[in-house]
Amino acid sequence: MLRFIATRFGMVIPTFLGVTLVSFSLIRLVPGDPIELWVGERGIDPERHAELLRQFGFDRPLWEQYLGFLGDLLQGDLGKSIVTQQPVLSEFLTLFPATIELSLTAMMFALLVGLPAGIIAGVRRGSMFDHTVMTVSLAGYSMPIFWWGLLLIILFSGTLGWTPVSGRISVLFYFEPVTGFMLVDSLLSGQPGAFKSAFRHLILPAIVLGTIPLAVIARQTRSAMLEVLGEDYIRTAHAKGLPPLRIIGLHALRNALIPVVTIIGLQVGLLLAGAILTETIFAWPGIGNWLVNSISRRDYPSVQGGVLLVACVVITVNLLVDLAYGLINPRIRRAGGS
Amino acid sequence: MKHRILMAAVSIGATVAFSAAGSAKTLVYCSEGSPEGFNPSLYTSGTTFDASSRHLFNKLVEFERGSTKIAPGLAESWQASKDGLLHTFRLRRGVKFHTTKNFTPSRNFNADDVLYSFQRQHDPNHPYHKVSGGTYEYYQGMSMPSLIKDIVKIDDYTVQFVLNQQEAPFIANLAMDFASILSAEYADQMLAAGTPEKVDLEPVGTGPFQLVQYQKDAVIRYKAHPDYWAGKAPIDDLIFAITKDASVRYQKLKAGECHVMPYPNPADIAAMQDDPDINMLQQEGLNVGYLAFNVERKPFDDKRVRQALNMAINKQAIIDAVFQGAGKAAKNPIPPTIWSYNDATKDYPYDPQAAKALLTEAGAAGLKTNIWAMPVQRPYNPNARRMAEVIQADWAKIGVEAEIVSFEWGEYLKRSKNGEHDTVLLGWTGDNGDPDNFLYVLLGCDAAKDGTNRARWCHKPFNDKLIQAKQTSNVAERTRLYEEAQLIFKEEAPWVTIAHSVVFVPVRKDVVDYRIDPFGGHAFYGVDLK
């Protein structure tokens, strides 16, 4: 097992280095000069332009800038945003809890609905329920997030008035953030109605962000269940007269969950990607929203630092999933260590 | 942990009942983005100015609410010397700075604050010059470093600006956001504490509101400055709920989650006008959208070609198709809301036959060219691609074949500044309500050299008028010069002046006395709630 863990960790280092290179170079490949964008139609004289490039260090050769970025990174310094002049790490840490809160809720929604739907669809293959789950999940997977989000806002917030339109909590509640997680902070604030307001604000964004993972999980669970239900040991269990619920719950589900766990791990990356659009629609102050703005302003330090930190989160989650997968399935553990 | 609630209000159903919010009056503005910071001298975006200078600070002189007229601000009066090189300001007494958790002012506003606010931007050796990045792009862009020779404190309530040359728009420049006055005493304290950047993050000004809390990308909270020199604001609390998407802002406005929203989608305007809960305010914007001919390239060096191409464009079709009615055809390079606008100017009529004949006469029949279309939406041009298509179709009718070209926005600005285009769509929104801010900045010979003049048109008789107008403070004389300059411009036709857009601001019916800012800002001092 130790060898397996060491191998997995060994793969993280080159991945991390690759991410630093990609995050550094991708934003620089996008055409557009951050200073020209900044001053807009007003323009800037060439001397002042050169002076600002020098001030931000953008006049140095790219390899030198990259090595400088790596050097600062080793000291835990991701640089300062050229727009706000605030440290990138502190901006990220301020906004990240909002993204985690939204992503976790979305994932919880996806699991709570997607897993049972997938299991039932697998067990009742060919039934009306199965067809419905497959059709709805295909629709959910294909739906553009932006359109889906606006549709829900117009229906539930605009027309029916059931949920708030956007934000994390009604602006009339005022308290200093403690954890950055609005559900927790609203409870800690002790203000009547604050938690309810925060929860209501979370409903639509979580549904929108959770729709695609839900569809993927439901479909994956269904196909994994179908595969397992056709195995000999399930037939044997039936022949032995075990109760169907026991067969599905204990024998089938446990084995079917192995590929599903991997899929869930992969959804973390998808969730963070989806968060970019969801946060923009719902004015959700998370890192997705922040990264989009940083890209449009060519705020190189924020983009490279932000992408790197997001990649670190995805790498870490996938590493944990890999390890969990190894724990669940000894064959993987042995193959990974050999 | 310190908890505080601004008012005893909670949400009712899906909407929030602002008017039932206890005794405090709270106005919620669904703003379109996050400020870059809270020191307006460091930034250039209107979003940052809305969040900072327009509420937290004052300038020596101010624009009257909803107008481009200059009014006294922190200076009660001012006087220029005969040669126009000395401008002396008498400062207002008894003006109090905000008291915050970090700072309790021990004195009222005085000349030291003016010196600090300007010297920080002007003097590269000032201890604050490099704090928070030290990029004073508006100060630089308005040529203040070369214009201001010295700033002198005559006494605690008198300040004198010494200029290197006469510059009539100087006073208007001082009403701009970058000229906001910050507290020198606060700056000294923060410098001594080793935290100078706090001056820009936790601002202290003399403005009608003071900052209570900023949650990045989410919300900005202000409360009315109780000792504001011009009288406390009618509302007690002001909240900016940051909402980037225009459709979502509209839904929030409809749901009563905010009172005022900026920049509605053109497609939503008709529905907003029909909504019984919404008042749709509108005003002509202080802007112009234009198509500039690169006169350094043949055949655009021939004014007959430029005139012919002017005549070939159906502006009304553009107003209908691109502005969806929310615009007005432009005949001058300055908007009608600016003084010295020459209403006597005759625009080129839409006449494809005459255009074709003139083009043939100029030897440019069958011309092949390009139209550069901006990749972004701007107040003066909501859809440049569509506009370029309409122009392309109009020109095709007279045998001109035009290819539409576009680049990423930063690249577009850079390349058009370098003169790589034949014709380019662009525009301008005024900074200070002075005609010089359009004419000299966009069409002067200096601007042709640095590329801001996208036509690269340097016409001496026109430029001389602008220089003369800069050198006199006599408004009647300046008006005459600018009116004459506009006639020269029309005859020479370096641009097709396309449109001045109409600015729409939807507000809920309970909002009282909101006025549209001609500069495109959003300010809430003087606004009340029923």
Side-chain angles (χ1 to χ4, degrees), chain B residues 144-180:
Chain B
M144 299 299 265
S146 57
L147 181 62
I148 295 177
K149 189 177 180 184
D150 201 5
I151 307 163
V152 184
K153 173 183 173 181
I154 306 289
D155 61 43
D156 271 357
Y157 290 96
T158 314
V159 172
Q160 193 169 66
F161 284 76
V162 185
L163 306 188
N164 282 313
Q165 79 253 6
Q166 204 173 7
E167 174 81 1
F170 175 68
I171 297 295
N173 289 354
L174 294 188
M176 288 170 63
D177 302 271
F178 74 85
S180 295

Side-chain angles (χ1 to χ4, degrees), chain A residues 30 38 43 46 80 90 101 104 177 179 229 284 289 300 303:
Chain A
V30 179
W38 191 12
K80 276 185 178 180
S90 95
E101 188 172 47
L104 281 181
T179 62
L229 288 172
W284 194 266
N289 210 344
Y300 293 163
V303 176

Side-chain angles (χ1 to χ4, degrees), chain B residues 33 150 172 191 195 200 223 264 283 309 379 410 441 485 491-492 513 522:
Chain B
D150 201 5
L191 193 64
T195 53
D200 306 322
K223 66 175 183 183
Q283 183 178 295
L309 292 175
V441 171
E491 168 63 21
E492 292 295 319
D513 201 19
H522 302 88

Side-chain angles (χ1 to χ4, degrees), chain B residues 167 435-436 438-450 453 456-471 478 481-482 484-490 492 494:
Chain B
E167 174 81 1
D436 180 85
F438 280 79
L439 298 172
Y440 193 75
V441 171
L442 302 178
L443 292 156
C445 287
D446 283 345
K449 275 183 226 150
D450 75 21
N453 178 344
R456 308 176 83 79
W457 176 69
C458 174
H459 186 67
K460 193 167 182 309
F462 176 83
N463 199 60
D464 286 349
K465 301 264 180 217
L466 304 188
I467 300 286
Q468 281 177 51
K470 265 180 183 290
Q471 292 171 346
R478 290 186 75 204
L481 289 163
Y482 288 134
E484 289 170 8
Q486 287 166 71
L487 294 176
I488 298 172
F489 165 87
K490 198 81 241 178
E492 292 295 319

